[in-house]
């Protein structure tokens, strides 16, 4: 069985969608580790409820990014993780992880990249007046949301509520991420 790790910083709905797909057989994989950079994030409760091991850390406890990334990479190696899935992980991946997991880190982003890279993508798209929104899954490299695109799906929305766009996008995210992981494995 293939082993994956999911990195998250907040609510963890994509983490749970991936974990449930593994549990019910839609993904022939196991979430071997959930990594979170925010000790109080709800994703930690989801991991505990689902019985998935978690490594939660506070970046401020480390003198540099490579310090915690080395610990994470060592844990991933020890577990035999083959694919790292970023799911709302709000940290830029550094050289330690990029070098050790080159080509094996993917991310999901709430816009049709290359438009609206970085944080607050939906809010900026709504402010700009976009009528076609979307979800992108891409490989992670040294650029911000600039790695090779693996999958995209668009949807129309003609309103002005970022929360509504997020809700519409999440329905697509949960399905598209699982489908993409299945194809990659």
């Amino acid at each position: 069985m293939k082993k994956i790790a999911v990195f998250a910083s907040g609510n963890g709905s994509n983490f749970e969608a991936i974990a449930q797909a593994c549990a019910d057989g839609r993904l022939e994989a196991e979430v071997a580790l959930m990594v979170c950079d925010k000790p109080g994030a709800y994703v930690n409760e989801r991991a505990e409820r689902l019985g998935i091991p978690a490594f939660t850390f506070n970046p401020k406890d480390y003198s540099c990014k490579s310090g915690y990334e080395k610990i994470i990479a060592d844990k991933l190696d020890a577990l035999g993780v083959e694919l790292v899935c970023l799911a709302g992980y709000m940290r830029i991946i550094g050289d330690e992880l990029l070098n050790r997991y080159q080509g094996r880190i993917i991310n999901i982003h709430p816009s049709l990249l290359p438009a609206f890279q970085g944080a607050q993508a939906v809010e900026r798209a709504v402010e700009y007046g976009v009528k076609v929104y979307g979800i992108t899954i891409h490989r992670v490299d040294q650029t911000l949301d600039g790695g090779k695109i693996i999958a995209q799906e668009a949807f129309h929305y003609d309103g002005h509520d970022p929360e509504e766009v997020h809700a519409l996008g999440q329905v697509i995210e949960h399905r598209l991420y699982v489908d993409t992981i299945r194809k990659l494995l």
Side-chain angles (χ1 to χ4, degrees):
M1 176 131 351
K2 304 271 185 175
K3 293 188 178 184
I4 61 176
V6 180
F7 289 29
S9 295
N11 184 39
S13 68
N14 274 306
F15 159 72
E16 185 159 349
I18 293 166
Q20 289 293 355
C22 291
D24 68 22
R26 287 179 290 136
L27 278 177
E28 292 183 22
E30 169 192 355
V31 178
L33 187 67
M34 186 282 294
V35 174
C36 181
D37 65 329
K38 297 196 182 304
Y42 185 63
V43 69
N44 293 297
E45 292 178 38
R46 289 181 193 260
E48 185 175 347
R49 178 174 39 82
L50 295 167
I52 294 174
F55 174 66
T56 303
F57 67 99
N58 184 342
K60 293 178 182 176
D61 293 341
Y62 298 85
S63 61
C64 61
K65 180 184 298 224
S66 64
Y68 62 79
E69 283 198 348
K70 181 177 183 339
I71 292 169
I72 293 168
D74 288 346
K75 288 180 180 294
L76 299 176
D77 288 347
L79 292 167
V81 168
E82 298 175 59
L83 182 66
V84 174
C85 305
L86 308 183
Y89 185 66
M90 299 307 288
R91 300 216 156 268
I92 303 295
I93 300 297
D95 290 339
E96 184 72 37
L97 281 168
L98 283 173
N99 291 336
R100 284 171 70 176
Y101 282 83
Q102 185 75 31
R104 297 185 292 148
I105 305 173
I106 62 174
N107 183 45
I108 190 161
H109 186 74
S111 78
L112 292 173
L113 292 174
F116 303 104
Q117 297 169 321
Q120 306 300 316
V122 168
E123 290 75 8
R124 288 184 289 124
V126 168
E127 184 178 305
Y128 197 78
V130 167
K131 301 300 180 224
V132 178
Y133 294 80
I135 306 300
T136 301
I137 299 169
H138 65 94
R139 296 212 187 267
V140 174
D141 63 14
Q142 291 83 2
T143 62
L144 177 65
D145 293 326
K148 183 172 173 47
I149 293 171
I150 302 167
Q152 288 184 308
E153 188 169 323
F155 62 96
H156 293 271
Y157 175 75
D158 195 19
H160 306 287
D161 183 358
E163 292 304 314
E164 192 171 12
V165 175
H166 276 293
L168 293 167
Q170 269 197 330
V171 172
I172 294 169
E173 287 179 13
H174 296 167
R175 177 186 43 76
L176 186 63
Y177 216 0
V178 168
D179 290 346
T180 302
I181 293 167
R182 182 183 314 105
K183 289 175 187 171
L184 292 174
L185 294 176

